[in-house]
Amino acid sequence: MQQTDEQRELLASLRELVERVLGDRHESLCGAGFSSETWQTLGGELGLLAASLPEAMGGMAAGQEADAILMEAFGKHLVSQPYLSSVVMAAALLDVSDDAGSQHLAAAAQGEAILVPALADSPSDTQFACVETVATITDNEVLLQGSKVLVRDAPLADRFIVLARQDGAADCPHVLLILDADVPGISREDFGTIDAATGSHLRFDQVRLDRSAIVVRGSEALERAALATDSAIVAVCAEAIGVMQAMLEQTVEYAKQRVQFGQPIAGFQVLQHRMVDMSVAIEQAESITRLARGKLLTPDRAKAASAAMALVAKACRGVAQDAVQIHGAVGIADETPISRYFRRALAIEKQFGGKAYHLKRYMQSADTF
Amino acid sequence: MIDIELELSPEDSAFREDVRAFLAEKFTPELRREAELQTGVFADGALSAKWHRILFERGWAAPGWPKAHGGAGFNATQQYIFNDECARAGTPNLPVAGVRLCGPVLIEFGTPEQKDFFLPRILSGEHVWCQGYSEPQAGSDLAALECKAHRDGDEYVINGQKTWTTHAQFADWIFVLVRTSREGPRQAGISFLLVPMDAPGLSVRPIVSMSGEHEVNEVFFDDVRVPVSNLVGEENKGWNVAKFLLVNERGSGSGAAYLKNALGMLGKIIADDGPFSGAACDPVFAGRLAEIEIEVAALEQSEHSLLEAITRGETARGHTLASIHKLHVSQIMQAITELEVDAIGAFAQIDQAPVLFGHGEASAQVPPRALTPVAHYLNMRAITIFGGSSEVQRNILARAALGL
């Protein structure tokens, strides 16, 4: 996707601004959990969270390129923020052209409300084939019953966006609902994640909702869930690149300072080549991610997203392992930043299905010779 | 495969149609059959000469040269399109010594007389060239070269040896790096000379590769005399010329097309209706193939991004990307040839060299698609070694990209 000079300038200034904001706060943010104050600053004061959204919603209309810039910066500074849930996925799930949808998104983009999608019932159901959470829709209300396992960011949520099956509907039975997180009948079992984020297992027990909770019904609901997931995959690949670049940079820096056998270990060819291989893997990951970003709104979307995730997952594992190895024993200490990046890299690998899953999905959607 | 379209201007789109029409007409089924039997790094001498001639007649023998020197004068995008379309069609992989290596060196460093004499003959195919860089004791450490030349009146007298010289047996000329001084740093005593292969005292000994193919040679110089007018650049400044050439050798900018052509051949080997279709159904094999396809897609995207940057006038990362691409292309190519060998299973044991290189008869018991994989695999072990080994590329990147 070729950009005009104007778009390139806009993106460059966005990149610069994000880098300045996060760079200034690096020490306090790196590897720490969610910071409500930072979220408010990024959203309200600076308007950065809206960069990908249409101008009518206070955004820059910079789409997935803006998502990529923000995610890469979050990765580089190891910032744990619910951007993937509340902006990237929410924008694909909600309809920006209708009033309710755009109000929810505008609130999310200003950092006022955090939207958290809860789509599959279980993380292994990546294609939403086994959604058993049931929405019984009557003339005046919606009754929600079911559970969602492993919903990242759920403890932060002001609202959930839930994929459910409509009771009694045979064809295209899915429905997307948006509901306040504190509606009676919702219970959460919270946990921390290895990468300083949080998540929950959710239960919906006789949750009564107004019919205005319905976002969309039928095949469109499923299609939006799939688009949201692929958008998130491509965005998390961009975050992975930031994570890997930071790991490489810190590793090179460390190798230049660490003296053993009377010289900096950066002088040893075996380590030089290992660091080069890290950078080569990152270059490859960047290219495939750029490719997938360009394919997000085309029929090749799923194939390209899986190609990217498969290659990025492989790169994440290799780069992270090499980074810790070159840091030596220091690399396995919790207090060393590299160990926190290592855990984020592992979580990224697993967040939307790992390398093997995406390789299979690529093959299933790939043309054969 | 994921199809990645390059966004083209109307002129470049029209150009691509021209190239496609040309290939549809001139790359005949006979030529395709011959090209499919090639297993070397480059197409053999006869096929290369035939295809070069066809390109020459169309004015496209030298895609990268400026028009003023008889080249096609393609811009960067057009060169990419041309290489891409040729590789998609599966045209012979032409030797690089003349058009891609010596030509650009002469255009950059040559005297007017050298340009006038050599460039038209490289273009027409009258002169086939080979490259005299490596020596037995100077491979990756090129500056250690010892083949020497001393001035004797208006002549240089050359003594020593070159090795791994591709297609020396077909060549009319060789360009050689020679030692003309032992003073100062090793790099400061090297010169770049042009030598006719029929010069008295020059002899060629074949080196047969482990595939059974004769692609490379040793070249010996025993008091070989050439006029001083055959010096390119200044005496003892040949290292600059050598480095200029190596950068051209590394970056062709269309490695993805080259690999997609190889994947196309692999596709034919494991085709549904053929004897080796079982490989494609094996999940382990299919998984390896999918990983390779994804890496090729990443490379293609990287090449497109570089091309767009070059078109915008940015060249900042071009140099390091050339090394990164060489690493990727060579590793992926080797992985493809491994799949070729694995696809044909036990048939890999049968020596096909007599059929491929000795005009022998193919056995009716051997499926035709089993002829090439092993030779291709064996020959492609060289791709991570020549043109700067993978280790040398990593040394370059350690310095240039990581500042180590």
Side-chain angles (χ1 to χ4, degrees), chain B residues 271-387:
Chain B
D272 288 346
D273 53 353
F276 305 120
S277 59
C281 311
D282 169 26
V284 176
F285 188 96
R288 287 162 67 198
L289 179 55
E291 286 198 67
I292 289 170
E293 281 182 13
I294 292 170
E295 290 199 58
V296 173
L299 176 70
E300 188 170 20
Q301 177 65 56
S302 182
E303 288 173 356
H304 286 193
S305 300
L306 176 62
L307 188 60
E308 285 162 10
I310 290 170
T311 307
R312 285 199 300 272
E314 301 164 16
T315 53
R317 295 191 62 222
H319 185 64
T320 52
L321 274 178
S323 284
I324 290 176
H325 289 171
K326 164 90 190 348
L327 281 172
H328 279 149
V329 170
S330 55
Q331 282 163 4
I332 298 169
M333 181 52 114
Q334 290 185 339
I336 293 171
T337 63
E338 283 177 55
L339 284 186
E340 289 182 30
V341 167
D342 292 347
I344 64 166
F347 282 94
Q349 299 168 94
I350 302 175
D351 181 15
Q352 303 294 354
V355 182
L356 288 170
F357 315 122
H359 309 288
E361 284 293 308
S363 161
Q365 305 300 317
V366 177
R369 292 295 178 196
L371 281 177
T372 55
V374 172
H376 198 212
Y377 168 67
L378 295 174
N379 282 335
M380 280 301 164
R381 300 318 298 167
I383 194 173
T384 45
I385 299 168
F386 65 69

Side-chain angles (χ1 to χ4, degrees), chain A residues 1-2 8 248 252 256 266 269 272-273 275-277 279-280 283-284 287-288 290-291 295 300 303-304 307 310-311 314 355 359 362-363 367 369, chain B residues 1-4 7 263 267 286-287 289-291 293-295 297-298 301-302 305 308 312 317 321 324 327-328 391 394-395 397-398 402-404:
Chain A
M1 215 57 70
Q2 292 247 35
R8 251 197 312 281
L248 174 62
V252 168
K256 282 178 177 168
Q269 194 182 39
Q272 289 181 351
H273 285 192
M275 289 185 273
V276 165
D277 286 342
S279 81
V280 166
E283 202 282 330
Q284 210 175 27
S287 295
I288 201 74
R290 203 178 311 125
L291 187 164
K295 294 286 188 190
D300 282 338
K303 185 163 61 170
L311 193 51
K314 182 169 125 183
K355 180 189 150 188
L359 206 52
Y362 168 85
M363 285 191 275
D367 310 329
F369 286 109
Chain B
M1 293 293 295
I2 304 172
D3 200 31
I4 318 172
E7 278 184 40
L263 280 175
L289 179 55
E291 286 198 67
E293 281 182 13
I294 292 170
E295 290 199 58
Q301 177 65 56
S302 182
S305 300
E308 285 162 10
R312 285 199 300 272
R317 295 191 62 222
L321 274 178
I324 290 176
L327 281 172
H328 279 149
E391 289 69 26
R394 288 189 176 94
N395 286 348
L397 287 169
L402 300 182
L404 296 172

